[in-house]
């Protein structure tokens, strides 16, 4: 049986959601409802685009100049089995491919989860865990609030984690259809609203597949 993932968005090259230059895959669907989420469109499990694991593996293996992938969402651990299968398929061709994921669940809770969640954890190099808390927003590296943790699951990114814990910033990009989108973790709350207002004043419309503050 062909395994599918429900995907909200993909990005070929990104430097603000993990170490180095990476691809990013945002899954569709999240069981959590963190107040202040700036990507409400990724929360419903309905919607998204159905993509096969084989198709996504071909995409990742065909990208030059990246050292790994970051899974965001949505909630990656809601599709943990398929993401674990995806990493296995990629590493058959690119054995040194890195993997990082965000989760609104704490690491301890994920370790008590089912076999799919454990399988994904075992294949990750770095985890950002915990729900976004608007009251604890901070200008932090790769995460939105100071309750969230950067947890190394292998030694691959230890050197990167020793660097200053300050925001990696935001990247804006123009998609093939001319729409504007962004990636990253906003250094201040209310980023999406402020950006949309400034763009609207200049006649631009922000692509709706924005990212959550986490």
């Amino acid at each position: 049986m062909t395994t599918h993932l429900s995907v909200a968005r993909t990005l070929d090259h990104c430097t603000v959601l993990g170490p180095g230059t990476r691809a990013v895959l945002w899954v569709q669907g999240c069981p959590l409802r963190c107040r202040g989420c700036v990507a409400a469109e990724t929360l419903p499990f309905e919607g998204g685009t159905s993509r096969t694991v084989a198709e996504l593996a071909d995409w990742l293996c065909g990208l030059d100049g990246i050292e790994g992938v970051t899974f965001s969402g949505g909630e990656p651990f809601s599709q943990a089995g398929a993401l674990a299968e995806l990493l296995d398929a990629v590493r058959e061709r690119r054995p040194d491919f890195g993997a990082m994921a965000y989760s609104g669940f704490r690491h301890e809770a994920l370790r008590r989860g089912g076999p799919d969640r454990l399988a994904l954890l075992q294949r990750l190099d770095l985890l950002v865990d915990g729900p976004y808390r608007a009251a604890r927003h901070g200008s932090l590296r790769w995460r939105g609030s100071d309750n969230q943790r950067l947890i190394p699951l292998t030694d691959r990114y230890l050197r990167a984690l020793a660097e200053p814990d300050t925001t990696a910033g935001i990247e804006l990009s123009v998609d093939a259809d001319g729409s504007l989108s962004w990636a990253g973790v906003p250094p201040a709350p209310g980023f999406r609203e402020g950006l949309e207002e400034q763009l609207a004043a200049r006649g631009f419309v922000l692509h709706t597949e924005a990212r959550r503050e986490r």
Side-chain angles (χ1 to χ4, degrees):
M1 185 175 67
T2 302
T3 304
H4 289 77
L5 277 155
S6 181
V7 177
R9 180 191 171 204
T10 61
L11 184 62
D12 289 355
H13 297 86
C14 180
T15 63
V16 295
L17 286 173
T21 301
R22 347 180 35 81
V24 187
L25 188 158
W26 289 273
V27 301
Q28 182 73 35
C30 178
L32 305 175
R33 294 295 182 268
C34 300
R35 180 174 297 180
C37 176
V38 295
E41 63 278 358
T42 69
L43 300 182
F45 284 93
E46 301 77 18
T49 302
S50 181
R51 306 276 297 274
T52 68
V53 164
E55 175 190 359
L56 291 167
D58 286 343
W59 164 62
L60 289 172
C61 290
L63 295 176
D64 293 326
I66 64 168
E67 73 89 40
V69 63
T70 294
F71 299 137
S72 189
E75 172 54 56
F77 280 85
S78 291
Q79 301 185 55
L83 290 175
E85 185 178 331
L86 173 59
L87 288 176
D88 285 345
V90 172
R91 284 169 174 162
E92 285 182 3
R93 289 181 271 176
R94 298 180 67 168
D96 195 39
F97 202 76
M100 169 181 168
Y102 286 85
S103 178
F105 297 101
R106 297 275 289 181
H107 182 220
E108 293 82 0
L110 294 173
R111 291 180 60 189
R112 296 192 298 269
D116 285 351
R117 290 187 173 188
L118 292 175
L120 181 55
L121 276 178
Q122 291 166 1
R123 288 159 174 78
L124 294 175
D125 299 295
L126 181 62
L127 174 72
V128 180
D129 81 335
Y132 171 67
R133 303 295 191 201
R136 299 180 63 174
H137 192 102
S139 181
L140 306 169
R141 200 172 192 204
W142 306 324
R143 59 207 198 279
S145 54
D146 63 14
N147 61 294
Q148 297 172 313
R149 299 176 296 180
L150 292 167
I151 300 176
L153 301 177
T154 70
D155 61 3
R156 183 184 183 100
Y157 296 128
L158 292 181
R159 181 174 296 180
L161 294 180
E163 296 174 3
D165 188 13
T166 56
T167 179
I170 296 294
E171 288 182 344
L172 293 174
S173 58
V174 179
D175 299 333
D177 62 1
S179 59
L180 185 67
S181 59
W182 63 277
V185 181
F191 169 82
R192 180 174 180 172
E193 294 81 358
L195 178 62
E196 288 180 340
E197 290 176 1
Q198 292 183 45
L199 290 173
R202 292 166 173 79
F204 296 99
V205 176
L206 182 68
H207 199 284
T208 56
E209 291 177 344
R211 301 280 56 84
R212 97 172 29 189
E213 285 183 353
R214 71 169 206 186

